[in-house]
Amino acid sequence: MRVLLSGYNGTMGQVLKNYIQDNTALEIVAGVGRELLEEKFPTYTSYEGLEKIADVIIDFSHHAGTASLVEYAKRTVTKVVIATTGHTTEELELIDELATQVGVVYAGNYSLGVNVLVELVKKASELLLGYDIEVIEKHHNKKVDAPSGTAKMLVDAVKDVEDYNRVYGRHGDMKRQEKEIGIHAVRGGTIVGEHEVIFAGEDEVIEIKHTALSKKMFAKGSVTAAQWLNTVGEPRLYSMKDVLGIK
């Protein structure tokens, strides 16, 4: 399978490149990034003039490049795995539009463990109705978007069961209101990623937590998604639940 790396020169792009070269039989046919690095494959700073060269694009770039990525994928009818987060409403609409023409996998997190965590949180929300719920996420000091895409996935899992009002951080003198879900973002050092969901009830607290120890798991998950997407014919927007067969 031929892969084009979008954002190849970023931190995750380099992790993905090394993972593919060291662990798979996939062929990296090109990389697109904001600057050129010496690689074993051709590299470009834009999609302008670039013809179809890959079966699947894996995108670990920046959400600001969504429009050009979508335009290229449409023009060349190339499937896309989007592993970038922080998209605006307009950018998400572009991704939805793209998915009417080619297969797209879009997820806030490509870790198997995180996707299991989402399912556990959904189940806990069904069983612990009325509990106070807080989401805490921690990442390195270079992460731009907050809250993380994974935190949004966890909140959506709760809201699939029961509607809560989102509260981002807490300050002031007002006590916690009913039907609130607190979302807290911590940024510091080289934290790869931690996500914790707290269910607080009368006289008990249940905590569900996932800790990422290496960025390699995101690379592995995105490759798994790309391999799966390459076998799917129907243009549609898919999630990691589809890739992993989670009902």
Side-chain angles (χ1 to χ4, degrees):
M1 186 178 79
R2 299 167 301 166
V3 177
L4 189 158
L5 303 187
S6 173
Y8 80 96
N9 57 328
T11 301
M12 263 310 307
Q14 288 293 297
V15 171
L16 175 59
K17 177 199 73 173
N18 292 333
Y19 178 82
I20 290 175
Q21 292 177 338
D22 294 343
N23 299 281
T24 77
L26 275 60
E27 178 188 2
I28 302 174
V29 293
V32 177
R34 285 188 288 182
E35 59 186 65
L36 299 180
L37 301 177
E38 273 196 37
E39 299 287 359
K40 296 178 181 178
F41 47 83
T43 58
Y44 306 88
T45 55
S46 77
Y47 294 99
E48 187 175 350
L50 192 60
E51 298 304 317
K52 182 177 177 67
I53 54 177
D55 299 303
V56 180
I57 303 166
I58 303 181
D59 175 42
F60 271 109
S61 60
H62 187 276
H63 67 87
T66 300
S68 58
L69 171 66
V70 167
E71 189 279 329
Y72 171 78
K74 279 184 182 178
R75 175 166 56 84
T76 59
V77 194
T78 307
K79 298 174 180 180
V80 188
V81 172
I82 298 178
T84 304
T85 59
H87 294 94
T88 65
T89 301
E90 292 75 15
E91 290 161 355
L92 291 174
E93 289 173 353
L94 289 176
I95 293 170
D96 286 339
E97 183 183 344
L98 173 63
T100 65
Q101 300 182 36
V102 300
V104 178
V105 176
Y106 178 85
N109 194 300
Y110 281 82
S111 156
L112 170 60
V114 162
N115 283 277
V116 172
L117 172 69
V118 171
E119 294 305 305
L120 291 174
V121 167
K122 185 173 181 179
K123 187 63 177 178
S125 300
E126 293 172 353
L127 298 173
L128 301 172
L129 292 173
Y131 278 54
D132 294 331
I133 305 175
E134 300 281 305
V135 176
I136 303 170
E137 57 101 339
K138 303 176 185 178
H139 284 88
H140 53 87
N141 57 22
K142 292 182 174 58
K143 184 170 178 61
V144 178
D145 57 310
S148 68
T150 305
K152 293 175 182 176
M153 287 170 63
L154 295 169
V155 172
D156 287 343
V158 172
K159 288 175 70 65
D160 281 346
V161 177
E162 190 173 11
D163 196 27
Y164 281 79
N165 296 317
R166 295 175 173 89
V167 175
Y168 298 95
R170 296 191 182 279
H171 67 278
D173 301 320
M174 184 178 294
K175 70 175 184 178
R176 192 184 209 283
Q177 303 298 302
E178 290 187 9
K179 297 296 183 182
E180 280 186 356
I181 182 166
I183 309 165
H184 312 276
V186 177
R187 297 289 177 267
T190 58
I191 301 170
V192 176
E194 293 184 14
H195 293 87
E196 182 178 10
V197 182
I198 300 171
F199 293 84
E202 292 291 332
D203 304 315
E204 64 178 357
V205 176
I206 299 95
E207 299 175 349
I208 308 175
K209 181 178 180 180
H210 177 274
T211 302
L213 302 179
S214 166
K215 293 179 183 294
K216 286 182 183 178
M217 67 176 194
F218 306 127
K220 180 180 180 181
S222 68
V223 167
T224 299
Q227 291 172 319
W228 178 86
L229 185 61
N230 194 44
T231 68
V232 175
E234 181 185 357
R236 211 187 95 194
L237 186 64
Y238 299 96
S239 70
M240 278 300 282
K241 288 181 67 172
D242 297 305
V243 175
L244 299 172
I246 297 174
K247 301 300 183 183

